[in-house]
């Protein structure tokens, strides 16, 4: 069997059925355009779910990866390596953090953060200080610990028993947190903007209140910036725009620009609790991943890219509003920077998937965040022409979905 002989139906034969991928198989990408096996072209507004922050095959990322590939691939953490050290130095210089732990995905970064929170409570205040509070509708990954801290019960149903000592309170409800937090709380975990939960931003006053409550109760504030980090909101990390500084922050997705990497950033005080031998990852700090992430940060943490996010956002919103004037399908367009959610009007609730499928047919890659929010997390350097082209395709898709519904 040659490499070309795989098709979408191969998926059903050889893969675990936990995903339901689209019918096409993309084979090549450049910037914000992607081509499938048949040579059909797509504009990419999905960005690999907020991962391809510099589009596909950015020349500088390709060059970095190729250079590192000729140099050194893997060592394990029995040795440290130059790309990991340089990346950690860059992250500590650019953020509140003093220390970094590397891993390979978002869930692993959160797993490290939650384990750190437990250990920090244990080391500094004793075994009773083990409770973690997070928010309903939050998403923190798919390991057993992270689905349990996550606020969406559907992701843990059937996987019980799950770890204990975890409480969920409504997002943006400071009184609810006040009622739940105590001296047994070791950490409060939040996304500055809930991503999978429907693009819901934390109210700045709420975020400040969370910080104060954590301080009052000696609990760590953990920001999950796996979706919001690395320029997505127009700040390098969303906490910078929010003006609330966490003790621990997790980063992944865009950090590798498409090469798997995760990172947990922490203050020196918190980091002490992950002493020698307490945690680890074989691939964590892999030279290939760290070299690519270094270049990702070099490119994204520049005024040119970060300020460009606001300009591109303005065009996205203007174009979405035009579509809405014509078709009246959105109640609201929300989310900061290029983390854009367009909530469907009630008549279309639960039918986000239809728009996704239609967009696909028109040559546009799109996401949903829950069943009633269309989500766009494109490249931070998507061009104006690509945005306009993609929006034309979205308009055609919306018109098609409406026409089909009218005909039915
Ligand atoms: C995607 C995501 C995760 C999980 O990251 P993985 O790399 O899929 O493990 C965790 N938290 C948030 C906020 C995310 O958006």
């Amino acid at each position: 069997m040659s490499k070309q002989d795989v098709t979408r139906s191969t998926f059903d034969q050889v893969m675990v059925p936990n995903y339901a991928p689209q019918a096409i198989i993309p084979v090549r990408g450049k910037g914000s355009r992607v081509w499938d096996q048949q040579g059909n072209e797509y504009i990419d507004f999905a960005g690999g779910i907020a991962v391809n922050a510099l589009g596909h095959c950015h020349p500088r990322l390709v060059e970095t990866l190729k250079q590192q590939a000729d140099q050194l691939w893997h060592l394990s953490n029995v040795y440290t390596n130059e790309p990991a050290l340089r990346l950690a130095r860059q992250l500590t210089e650019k953020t509140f953090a003093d220390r970094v732990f590397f891993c390979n995905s978002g869930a692993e970064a959160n797993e490290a953060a939650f384990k750190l929170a437990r250990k920090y409570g244990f080391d500094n205040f004793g075994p009773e200080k083990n409770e973690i509070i997070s928010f309903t509708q939050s998403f923190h990954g798919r390991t057993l610990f992270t689905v349990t801290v996550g606020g969406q019960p559907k992701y843990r149903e059937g996987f019980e028993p799950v770890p204990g000592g975890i409480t969920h309170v409504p997002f943006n409800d400071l009184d609810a947190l006040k009622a739940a937090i105590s001296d047994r709380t070791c950490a409060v975990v939040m996304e500055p903007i809930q991503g999978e939960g429907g693009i819901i931003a934390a109210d700045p006053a709420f975020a400040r209140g969370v910080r104060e409550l954590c301080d009052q109760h000696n609990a760590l504030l953990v920001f999950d910036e796996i979706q919001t980090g690395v320029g997505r909101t127009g700040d390098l990390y969303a906490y910078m725009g929010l003006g609330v500084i966490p003790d621990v922050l997790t980063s992944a997705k865009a950090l590798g620009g498409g090469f798997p990497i995760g990172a947990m950033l922490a203050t020196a005080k918190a980091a002490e609790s992950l002493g020698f031998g307490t945690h680890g990852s074989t691939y964590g700090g892999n030279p290939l991943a760290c070299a690519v992430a270094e270049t990702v940060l070099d490119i994204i943490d520049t005024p040119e890219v970060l300020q460009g996010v606001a300009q591109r956002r303005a065009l996205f919103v203007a174009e979405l509003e035009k579509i809405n004037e014509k078709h009246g399908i959105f109640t609201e367009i929300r989310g900061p920077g290029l983390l854009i959610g367009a909530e469907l009007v009630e008549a279309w609730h639960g039918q986000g998937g239809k728009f996704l499928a239609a967009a696909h047919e028109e040559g546009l890659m799109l996401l949903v965040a829950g069943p009633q929010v269309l989500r766009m997390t494109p490249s931070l350097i998507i061009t104006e022409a690509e945005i306009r082209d993609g929006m034309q395709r979205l308009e055609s898709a919306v018109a098609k979905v409406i026409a089909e519904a009218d005909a039915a």
Side-chain angles (χ1 to χ4, degrees), residues 135-139 171 191-202 227-228 339:
F135 298 94
T136 50
Q137 294 306 116
S138 64
F139 181 80
F171 195 50
E191 298 160 85
I193 298 110
Q194 289 192 336
E196 307 298 310
I199 320 289
I200 317 279
Q227 188 150 168
T228 55
L339 180 53

Side-chain angles (χ1 to χ4, degrees), residues 333-390:
I333 294 152
R334 62 175 181 250
L338 288 170
L339 180 53
I340 299 170
E343 175 146 358
L344 294 166
V345 296
E346 214 174 318
W348 291 106
H349 274 193
Q351 299 186 63
K354 270 192 191 154
F355 291 91
L356 224 67
H360 237 257
E361 280 169 24
E362 298 302 310
L364 177 70
M365 293 170 151
L366 203 64
L367 297 168
V368 289
Q372 46 242 25
V373 179
L374 303 187
R375 173 173 44 157
M376 280 146 267
T377 55
S379 161
L380 305 183
I381 57 169
I382 186 170
T383 66
E384 189 181 322
E386 287 163 339
I387 298 172
R388 291 190 193 282
D389 196 350

Side-chain angles (χ1 to χ4, degrees), residues 49 104-108 110 139-142 191 193 195-196 224-228 250 252-253 375:
I49 318 187
N104 315 289
S105 68
E108 279 177 83
N110 281 336
F139 181 80
H140 299 297
R142 298 296 201 108
E191 298 160 85
I193 298 110
E196 307 298 310
D224 177 344
E225 291 233 31
I226 290 161
Q227 188 150 168
T228 55
T250 52
K253 290 203 164 101
R375 173 173 44 157

Side-chain angles (χ1 to χ4, degrees), residues 31-43:
S32 287
R33 289 178 199 269
V34 173
W35 292 269
D36 69 13
Q37 285 177 319
Q38 281 71 40
N40 299 311
E41 182 205 83
Y42 300 83
I43 298 282

Side-chain angles (χ1 to χ4, degrees), residues 56-72:
H56 297 273
C57 297
H58 189 286
R60 282 180 62 194
L61 297 188
V62 173
E63 186 196 321
T64 299
L65 185 58
K66 284 181 172 168
Q67 267 179 14
Q68 188 59 43
D70 281 332
Q71 201 85 24
L72 186 69

